[in-house]
Amino acid sequence: MKRESHLKILFFAVFILMANLSLAQEIKEIYVSPSGYDSNSGTYERPFKTLGKATAALVTMDSHKLEKIVVWLNDGIYRISNPIVIDSTIKKSGTPFEFKAVEGSSPTISGAVELKDWSNLGDGIWVSEVPKNLGVFRELFVKGKRAMRARHPNNEYLRVKEVGADRRTNFTYHTGDFPQPKIPGEVELVVLHDWSITRIPIKDISLDSHTITASDSIGAKGLNFFNLDNWEPNPRYYLENDIEFLDAEYEWYLDTSASKIYLKLPMDLEPSQLSIEVPLAESLLAVEGSEQNPISNISFEGIRFKHCRWNIPNQTYAGIQACNFDTQQGNKEWAVVPAAIRTTWAHNIRFKDCEFNSLGGSGIWLGTGTINSTITSCRIRDISGNGVMIGEGQDRLVSGESWWKAAPQQAALGNTVEDCDISDCGVQFYGAVGIWCGLTAETILKNNEIYNLPYTGISIGWMWSPEPTPCRDNTIAENHIHHVMQKLSDGGGIYMLGLQPGSKLIDNNIHDISVNAGRAESNGMFLDEGTKDVLVENNLIYNIAKSPLRFHKASTNFVKNNYLFSNGETPAIAYNNTLPENIHQEGNREISTDDPNYIVALKKAVSKHIQTPNKP
């Protein structure tokens, strides 16, 4: 009897265990469709209508007992005015959450609203009242494409005639440079520096003295190299947002004082035939954990993230570099153009086959405390700021001390951007880059195509000194970077700075950096101040405005087996305040356009590099 009793107890225990295991293997699925109803049950047959309802349903689930939860998005546009927030109130366990497009569909999460009720003013110009909830905005999209805010000149630039005495707030212009604005106080002055820009309201335009006076200092305060004539004696500028500049198809102008928007269309089109959208949401997605309780195991697949606004604080953007800017408010810390999608204190967050486009700030940011997260096979394009951001700058404080000194373990670690297509970033803020990495460790940027940018392709590091930081063991490999540095200077296909031991730049193909607009150089790779202990190996660099490879105040680095094609008398490697003997070289091929075998050698190198790249 005792043996039989033991067997019954054992059988019952196994039964309970199997039941629990069976329950643990359950996958919970939630379906959402723009044609659904939030009063539905969220099943395949009866989907919810909004993502807000879907995330609210997640709050009520006991995810501990589930293998995973999948939120399926059907085809269509999901319009939001506030971001989707996934935090510890929604995700209470490590159970994976997956947000996926239903097979064959392309769901879009959009932060925009449509503008309707247009009146015809003739000559292709239409006007509409601006709804109160929109307020001031900086972007308009017509037929899914970004429309140009009315500017003069439309494509080129004007040149400062003479910089004012203080070298910061005013300058004279040439007679006939631009039509006199109807409302000068609503005009934005855009000034291009070597590696950044300033956007600032105009205080006054004097017809008598031909002088433009800005509302505040042009360029970041406290940095004398932003004096207007520091780089070029007659820097480039243009003017934006006035009815007098509305002279090209798909240009638009916002009259904030009258709450009206004007749009110029082709004569054969009417607004009723088009989708005309304005971003309303200031963020699309936030994945937020905490240092004590990081959020983990969330993935997004096959989803488009589109339309997100960002209005410049205090109307003045004094760019410093890579979308870091001076707020002009006397703060010591630099501000950063925010991203539409951001993660903080998050582990194993994955974006696959997603699209990020038509965004008013930056694109996607794997921020503070983000670990082992990936962005793979994604498309990032038409972004006002940076495309992808990983990590952070120097300024955040922990217990009154810089975070990277007080808490280096908070650095973004082990994140990957791979097989992505990144283009047309920096649409508004020209100092933006395709991928920016600040004080990160074990970051992998691999096999991405990065192109059509106003400034640098990839920027990594973010200390202009060899001082030790958490930045280390980063790998930039097999990327195809081309047609960058199209508007600014002093950058390159890859821009690196600071001490980051164990880091590698290998097997990259960088070409067509043919514009050198400012005084400083544009290069294939630019290893700036503090760069040390970096391996530069088996890269192909050609058709570059200046030297394919440049060092500036760099220390010991290793350059091996690279193909460096230079232009005429331009050296293959430039050493600005860098001791050449500190750059250890081995097996490099340096070929100038003066070499009669230049074309043959280039074709051979391109063919070899594409077919047989060395894998890291």
Side-chain angles (χ1 to χ4, degrees):
M1 288 295 295
K2 186 177 287 189
R3 174 182 172 84
E4 185 178 339
S5 177
H6 286 163
L7 286 174
K8 286 182 178 180
I9 293 172
L10 179 61
F11 176 80
F12 182 73
V14 170
F15 176 81
I16 295 297
L17 177 62
M18 293 299 293
N20 286 334
L21 285 174
S22 177
L23 185 60
Q25 296 303 309
E26 182 185 351
I27 298 174
K28 177 65 177 179
E29 295 181 305
I30 299 174
Y31 287 83
V32 194
S33 171
S35 60
Y37 295 93
D38 281 350
S39 57
N40 283 348
S41 56
T43 61
Y44 177 83
E45 295 82 7
R46 304 185 68 227
F48 294 137
K49 181 179 180 64
T50 67
L51 292 169
K53 179 63 176 180
T55 54
L58 294 173
V59 175
T60 63
M61 293 184 181
D62 186 358
S63 58
H64 295 84
K65 298 180 179 180
L66 300 172
E67 179 185 346
K68 65 179 178 180
I69 298 174
V70 183
V71 178
W72 292 99
L73 278 66
N74 281 282
D75 213 355
I77 299 176
Y78 298 83
R79 295 193 184 275
I80 60 174
S81 57
N82 294 300
I84 301 162
V85 178
I86 302 175
D87 57 18
S88 58
T89 63
I90 293 176
K91 196 172 193 307
K92 308 178 185 69
S93 72
T95 299
F97 281 11
E98 298 179 0
F99 294 78
K100 302 177 71 172
V102 171
E103 186 175 354
S105 69
S106 299
T108 298
I109 298 174
S110 170
V113 296
E114 287 192 90
L115 282 184
K116 300 180 179 180
D117 301 322
W118 294 83
S119 299
N120 189 353
L121 298 182
D123 196 28
I125 296 178
W126 298 78
V127 63
S128 179
E129 297 284 341
V130 176
K132 290 183 179 180
N133 65 326
L134 283 180
V136 178
F137 51 89
R138 303 183 57 84
E139 294 100 14
L140 181 78
F141 296 89
V142 180
K143 295 192 300 183
K145 294 183 179 180
R146 184 185 296 256
M148 180 188 294
R149 193 160 74 146
R151 57 168 279 185
H152 185 88
N154 288 333
N155 298 305
E156 301 300 324
Y157 307 98
L158 301 170
R159 287 280 181 176
V160 167
K161 183 179 180 181
E162 186 176 357
V163 172
D166 65 8
R167 305 176 67 192
R168 275 304 186 106
T169 63
N170 65 89
F171 58 85
T172 58
Y173 60 89
H174 297 275
T175 302
D177 267 358
F178 52 84
Q180 179 65 17
K182 285 284 180 62
I183 310 178
E186 292 204 346
V187 175
E188 189 168 272
L189 168 65
V190 184
V191 181
L192 280 68
H193 314 294
D194 259 29
W195 62 79
S196 68
I197 69 166
T198 294
R199 287 182 171 272
I200 190 168
I202 285 179
K203 180 179 180 181
D204 179 64
I205 298 177
S206 172
L207 297 177
D208 295 331
S209 61
H210 291 91
T211 300
I212 293 177
T213 302
S215 63
D216 202 340
S217 178
I218 299 170
K221 293 180 178 180
L223 299 172
N224 290 334
F225 50 75
F226 277 106
N227 288 339
L228 276 171
D229 55 354
N230 181 62
W231 293 289
E232 298 179 280
N234 308 102
R236 295 169 292 163
Y237 77 97
Y238 63 90
L239 305 178
E240 199 170 270
N241 197 52
D242 191 84
I243 193 71
E244 291 296 321
F245 309 152
L246 191 64
D247 59 1
E249 292 177 355
Y250 299 108
E251 276 195 328
W252 63 280
Y253 156 63
L254 177 64
D255 183 346
T256 58
S257 60
S259 296
K260 291 183 178 181
I261 182 171
Y262 298 81
L263 172 65
K264 186 173 177 63
L265 293 175
M267 296 297 290
D268 60 343
L269 284 181
E270 296 185 3
S272 60
Q273 300 171 277
L274 309 168
S275 64
I276 301 174
E277 298 172 291
V278 173
L280 174 62
E282 296 182 354
S283 173
L284 298 182
L285 172 66
V287 179
E288 301 175 343
S290 65
E291 186 174 15
Q292 295 73 29
N293 184 26
I295 200 164
S296 63
N297 300 326
I298 304 173
S299 65
F300 302 86
E301 185 172 344
I303 300 170
R304 294 177 178 172
F305 296 88
K306 193 171 185 178
H307 299 138
C308 184
R309 74 158 60 190
W310 182 66
N311 286 334
I312 299 171
N314 306 305
Q315 297 181 279
T316 298
Y317 175 87
I320 298 172
Q321 191 172 345
C323 286
N324 288 261
F325 66 98
D326 179 11
T327 63
Q328 305 285 55
Q329 301 300 301
N331 300 326
K332 292 182 180 180
E333 298 84 9
W334 296 348
V336 183
V337 175
I341 294 91
R342 184 171 184 178
T343 67
T344 52
W345 302 113
H347 300 177
N348 302 315
I349 311 300
R350 311 198 180 280
F351 295 86
K352 182 179 180 181
D353 294 324
C354 290
E355 196 171 299
F356 309 88
N357 62 50
S358 303
L359 302 174
S362 294
I364 177 171
W365 189 349
L366 304 181
T368 302
T370 299
I371 296 177
N372 294 334
S373 296
T374 61
I375 303 171
T376 57
S377 302
C378 290
R379 176 80 187 273
I380 298 102
R381 63 181 178 87
D382 188 26
I383 312 295
S384 287
N386 295 325
V388 176
M389 302 172 70
I390 304 175
E392 60 184 304
Q394 311 168 21
D395 293 330
R396 182 170 59 86
L397 299 179
V398 173
S399 301
E401 189 176 15
S402 297
W403 73 269
W404 52 272
K405 292 180 180 179
Q409 73 279 3
Q410 295 180 355
L413 172 68
N415 300 297
T416 298
V417 182
E418 186 171 6
D419 298 328
C420 291
D421 185 300
I422 303 172
S423 70
D424 301 287
C425 303
V427 177
Q428 283 196 69
F429 309 108
Y430 297 161
V433 301
I435 303 176
W436 178 89
C437 303
L439 302 181
T440 65
E442 299 179 27
T443 298
I444 297 175
L445 310 178
K446 183 179 179 183
N447 199 36
N448 303 289
E449 183 170 7
I450 303 171
Y451 57 102
N452 289 351
L453 303 182
Y455 182 55
T456 288
I458 294 173
S459 181
I460 188 166
W462 284 79
M463 285 287 288
W464 281 268
S465 77
E467 186 174 0
T469 72
C471 194
R472 61 172 175 80
D473 298 306
N474 298 307
T475 300
I476 302 177
E478 300 176 42
N479 298 285
H480 183 196
I481 305 171
H482 58 97
H483 296 92
V484 300
M485 304 300 301
Q486 295 292 290
K487 297 183 186 296
L488 303 181
S489 297
D490 210 23
I494 297 173
Y495 173 77
M496 175 176 269
L497 69 163
L499 176 65
Q500 37 189 309
S503 295
K504 303 173 184 178
L505 310 179
I506 54 177
D507 299 316
N508 297 286
N509 180 1
I510 302 175
H511 62 90
D512 285 286
I513 303 176
S514 55
V515 177
N516 197 74
R519 188 183 74 177
E521 290 190 17
S522 296
N523 306 100
M525 291 184 180
F526 178 15
L527 279 64
D528 205 353
E529 296 185 46
T531 304
K532 183 180 179 182
D533 296 336
V534 171
L535 173 64
V536 182
E537 183 175 15
N538 197 41
N539 299 283
L540 170 63
I541 308 175
Y542 64 96
N543 198 18
I544 310 297
K546 295 293 183 179
S547 296
L549 180 58
R550 173 160 67 115
F551 294 92
H552 175 62
K553 294 185 179 180
S555 188
T556 304
N557 294 284
F558 306 90
V559 180
K560 298 172 58 179
N561 302 323
N562 299 282
Y563 281 86
L564 307 175
F565 290 84
S566 60
N567 183 13
E569 297 180 357
T570 302
I573 303 177
Y575 307 93
N576 302 153
N577 300 303
T578 300
L579 294 175
E581 56 266 31
N582 284 345
I583 307 303
H584 300 289
Q585 300 188 50
E586 178 184 326
N588 298 298
R589 294 286 306 276
E590 301 179 8
I591 305 170
S592 167
T593 52
D594 293 337
D595 189 322
N597 295 317
Y598 176 86
I599 298 298
V600 173
L602 177 58
K603 289 182 178 179
K604 184 177 179 180
V606 170
S607 176
K608 178 181 178 181
H609 200 273
I610 291 174
Q611 293 176 15
T612 57
N614 292 332
K615 302 298 181 183

